[in-house]
Amino acid sequence: MAGVSVQAFRRQGRRFGAGLVCSEMVSCAGLQHGNERTLGYLRIASDEKPLAVQIFGSEPEIMAEAARMVEDAGADLVDVNFGCPVKKVTKTGAGATLLEDPERACGIVSAVAQAVSVPVTVKMRRGLENGARSCLELGARLVEAGAASLTLHPRSARQMYTGEADHSLTTELVERVGVPVIASGDVTSRARAQAILATTGAAAVMVGRAAQGNPWALREIIEGDAEPPSREEVVAELILFMRETVKELGEKRATGFLKKFYGWYLGRGRFPKPFKQELVQLETLAEVETRLFAAAPGAADVLARLEAELPDGEDDVVLNLPISIYGGG
């Protein structure tokens, strides 16, 4: 979910019923060095709480200091990433690599848990290689080190997002540890979520890719409301997401960032395929908005209602950083 779980995405998830939302991965090295873009991940809005901020790194002391910064910013949980399979993360000794380095992994969790007063949670994969079971032994040790909860995505790092998540491993992990386990992977519908919860004994499910451009999936999973959104609702949510992202990232950065979301929102048979390509080729977000409103004129009324329901933001975290980076934040 890196490059997806911006503040606008998290706030939207909360509006559609998510009980807890999580930031994208935050580099501990970036926080340590005061990187402006990394510090921007600690910008927290009042209506996205409860919020977990996820950190990654390989050095216990640096992770602990980052965790303190996360707590000071107002996060309700500090989540430690031991699951990212991307090479630029694993080659630094962080992410899923730590599944095969239990001593360092436990040292990180212990250091982080001692550094903060909020709960510390861990997100894991099953292991580096297909068929690995590293998460089971390591999970129990992480709880001893101070983890208050574990999230398991039972694919290997090698699998990335191919194949199926093997939730028999989730069942085994639940049986081995005395803390809540959250099941992640292939949670795409209410029926699937109910089946995973019933067969694994997990305390909750985590939804990731299924909610990309599709917050209505959360409503269906939580409430069983399978009524598809109207074109007006889709356009209104997309434009609101665009406007909120501009506030966070600034116009220039948001323009490129948002292009991948057009297909996610407009797909699933909601709009003709060429429409997405048309939007991607437009140079400004104002042009994109104009074209979207033309395609669904009634979206303006839906958008006005959504914006009227947003909080005023008085309790948001405001960082003392350049306006050019964070669009006024």
Side-chain angles (χ1 to χ4, degrees), residues 124 134-144 147 150 173 177 179:
M124 301 187 293
S134 311
C135 61
L136 298 178
E137 180 180 349
L138 178 60
R141 294 185 62 180
L142 295 176
V143 172
E144 293 177 0
L150 303 173
L173 183 62
V177 299
V179 299

Side-chain angles (χ1 to χ4, degrees), residues 17 25 43 57 71 81 104 111 114 123 152 159 199 204 220 237 246 253 260 267 273 275 292 309:
M25 298 187 307
R43 187 170 179 263
E71 181 179 32
N81 183 292
R104 181 175 291 273
Q114 292 177 44
K123 172 81 180 293
L152 178 62
Q159 275 183 279
T199 57
E220 191 275 329
E237 284 292 344
V246 168
R253 186 174 159 208
K260 59 180 173 284
K273 289 184 179 180
F275 187 46
L292 286 168
E309 293 171 353

Side-chain angles (χ1 to χ4, degrees), residues 112-134:
V112 170
Q114 292 177 44
V116 297
S117 59
V118 296
V120 174
T121 60
V122 180
K123 172 81 180 293
M124 301 187 293
R125 284 196 172 224
R126 66 181 301 162
L128 288 177
E129 300 298 329
N130 294 343
R133 296 168 58 84
S134 311

Side-chain angles (χ1 to χ4, degrees), residues 182-207:
I182 300 171
S184 172
D186 300 344
V187 182
T188 55
S189 67
R190 182 176 178 85
R192 182 64 177 146
Q194 289 177 326
I196 291 172
L197 290 171
T199 57
T200 65
V205 293
M206 177 178 286
V207 180

Side-chain angles (χ1 to χ4, degrees), residues 11-278:
R11 297 173 79 180
Q12 182 185 66
R14 290 286 292 137
R15 283 195 294 110
F16 276 82
L20 173 72
V21 291
C22 185
S23 74
E24 55 187 306
M25 298 187 307
V26 180
S27 166
C28 290
L31 291 180
Q32 181 191 36
H33 293 105
N35 179 277
E36 291 172 351
R37 183 169 293 188
T38 306
L39 287 168
Y41 294 135
L42 302 188
R43 187 170 179 263
I44 297 173
S46 57
D47 60 331
E48 60 182 314
K49 296 168 72 67
L51 168 71
V53 172
Q54 186 180 91
I55 58 175
F56 74 94
S58 61
E59 298 298 329
E61 298 80 8
I62 297 175
M63 291 282 276
E65 182 55 35
R68 292 187 192 98
M69 296 175 68
V70 166
E71 181 179 32
D72 289 344
D76 302 286
L77 300 172
V78 176
D79 190 54
V80 180
N81 183 292
F82 291 165
C84 180
V86 178
K87 188 174 181 180
K88 70 178 182 180
V89 172
T90 58
K91 72 180 182 181
T92 67
T97 301
L98 288 159
L99 296 169
E100 307 300 336
D101 191 351
E103 295 302 325
R104 181 175 291 273
C106 291
I108 287 172
V109 170
S110 177
V112 170
Q114 292 177 44
V116 297
S117 59
V118 296
V120 174
T121 60
V122 180
K123 172 81 180 293
M124 301 187 293
R125 284 196 172 224
R126 66 181 301 162
L128 288 177
E129 300 298 329
N130 294 343
R133 296 168 58 84
S134 311
C135 61
L136 298 178
E137 180 180 349
L138 178 60
R141 294 185 62 180
L142 295 176
V143 172
E144 293 177 0
S149 177
L150 303 173
T151 299
L152 178 62
H153 183 144
R155 283 182 169 90
S156 68
R158 181 177 292 277
Q159 275 183 279
M160 298 290 286
Y161 296 100
T162 62
E164 295 184 358
D166 180 6
H167 281 292
S168 66
L169 276 175
T170 310
T171 303
E172 291 189 60
L173 183 62
V174 169
E175 293 170 349
R176 289 188 181 213
V177 299
V179 299
V181 173
I182 300 171
S184 172
D186 300 344
V187 182
T188 55
S189 67
R190 182 176 178 85
R192 182 64 177 146
Q194 289 177 326
I196 291 172
L197 290 171
T199 57
T200 65
V205 293
M206 177 178 286
V207 180
R209 290 173 294 151
Q212 291 175 343
N214 192 30
W216 300 274
L218 298 177
R219 189 168 62 193
E220 191 275 329
I221 290 170
I222 296 164
E223 302 176 5
D225 181 2
E227 184 70 23
S230 66
R231 297 180 81 179
E232 289 73 19
E233 289 176 299
V234 171
V235 167
E237 284 292 344
L238 174 53
I239 292 177
L240 179 62
F241 182 81
M242 290 166 55
R243 291 179 178 181
E244 292 298 301
T245 301
V246 168
K247 292 178 184 177
E248 181 179 357
L249 304 182
E251 181 92 19
K252 182 177 179 180
R253 186 174 159 208
T255 300
F257 173 86
L258 287 164
K259 290 183 184 296
K260 59 180 173 284
F261 286 88
Y262 301 154
W264 291 338
Y265 275 91
L266 304 177
R268 302 177 177 87
R270 295 167 181 165
F271 286 83
K273 289 184 179 180
F275 187 46
K276 173 221 169 182
Q277 290 304 320
E278 180 184 342

